[in-house]
Amino acid sequence: MRTAFEQVEAVAFAKSNDHYLLFHRSGVGQIELAEGRPEVAEVLLINGQALAKRVRDLHSSLIVEGLLAVARVRLEKVDEVAATAEALVMQAEATPMINFGSWYGFAAVAEALVGVFAARGPGKDGEHRARAKRAVTLLFQFSKLYPVAVPLASLFSGQYAMLCGRSDRALKRLQIGIHAAGAADMKYDLARLYAALGNMPSLELHVRAEHRRQSGIWMERCGLAVLPPLPLTLTS
């Protein structure tokens, strides 16, 4: 996959094509996040942010902004993300759900804002919780149109439910996600979903251990040595 994006970058420079270059920045940024290098992803996505302003494509912009927010949450720049969270969720709300390729943009916004909720609590007036709910709801709506988004919609709605103290609902969401990801052979999503189950305190220890073992199996099949943190693991 990385090689394919390198070819895209070469074409982008050869043709002075900002659209191709933006596709490269968001794509490789996503790979760097998956492989546990948010600091590298942040640099790429900041460049992508500038490109998106020139290209003026709503869907590409949402993907870049969402992924950049995820990178910053993982780099513990949570307050930076919180400061722009309302603009981010409003951008997602203003992006038409007419392009299945933008599913990771909606997913990234949900992940970032659930991460803010996890790290900073509900907020003085409940704003962190409310924005996380709006982002998760958008992703869930998107998944109704494009089933490719069901695993991540289930993952982040499950994480949100856990933060709200609704462990039964969280378990149901995560199980739905595992079924959907398994049916579509989405290995990376399976690794993250099993990791989320492995961190559920409401489950018995041996059950959690088995879920963590399953997560490790799917990580290995993805070629990953480390799985990036989930929003719930950011809880202060």
Side-chain angles (χ1 to χ4, degrees), residues 77-101:
K77 298 179 180 181
V78 178
D79 292 336
E80 286 186 33
V81 179
T84 58
E86 180 62 24
L88 184 60
V89 75
M90 286 181 66
Q91 180 180 359
E93 289 170 338
T95 302
M97 297 182 183
I98 57 174
N99 184 343
F100 89 94

Side-chain angles (χ1 to χ4, degrees), residues 38-195:
E39 69 286 352
V40 178
E42 183 184 32
V43 173
L44 285 165
L45 293 164
I46 288 172
N47 181 244
Q49 193 178 45
L51 289 165
K53 289 177 181 177
R54 294 208 297 267
V55 169
R56 296 184 180 181
D57 178 88
L58 288 174
H59 301 282
S60 298
S61 178
L62 180 66
I63 292 169
V64 167
E65 294 291 349
L67 291 172
L68 181 56
V70 170
R72 286 175 170 162
V73 168
R74 293 184 188 175
L75 289 167
E76 299 183 0
K77 298 179 180 181
V78 178
D79 292 336
E80 286 186 33
V81 179
T84 58
E86 180 62 24
L88 184 60
V89 75
M90 286 181 66
Q91 180 180 359
E93 289 170 338
T95 302
M97 297 182 183
I98 57 174
N99 184 343
F100 89 94
S102 61
W103 68 278
Y104 211 87
F106 287 98
V109 172
E111 177 172 359
L113 297 190
V114 172
V116 172
F117 179 22
R120 294 293 181 266
K124 183 178 179 182
D125 298 311
E127 66 273 15
H128 299 329
R129 175 175 176 165
R131 289 177 186 134
K133 182 178 181 179
R134 285 160 65 191
V136 166
T137 299
L138 282 172
L139 179 57
F140 188 75
Q141 291 171 346
F142 190 90
S143 74
K144 292 293 186 181
L145 298 172
Y146 305 100
V148 68
V150 170
L152 289 184
S154 301
L155 176 60
F156 300 129
S157 62
Q159 294 268 286
Y160 175 81
M162 280 295 297
L163 287 165
C164 294
R166 303 182 66 181
S167 58
D168 289 347
R169 183 180 180 85
L171 179 60
K172 181 179 178 180
R173 291 292 189 192
L174 294 173
Q175 289 172 334
I176 289 171
I178 284 175
H179 176 77
D185 194 30
M186 299 173 76
K187 298 178 180 66
Y188 180 61
D189 291 349
L190 280 166
R192 302 189 80 194
L193 285 156
Y194 275 116

Side-chain angles (χ1 to χ4, degrees), residues 207-225:
V207 176
R208 291 162 61 186
E210 174 59 21
H211 289 318
R212 287 194 292 270
R213 188 184 74 83
Q214 288 292 330
S215 177
I217 290 172
W218 289 107
M219 277 175 55
E220 185 177 347
R221 292 179 182 176
C222 292
L224 296 176

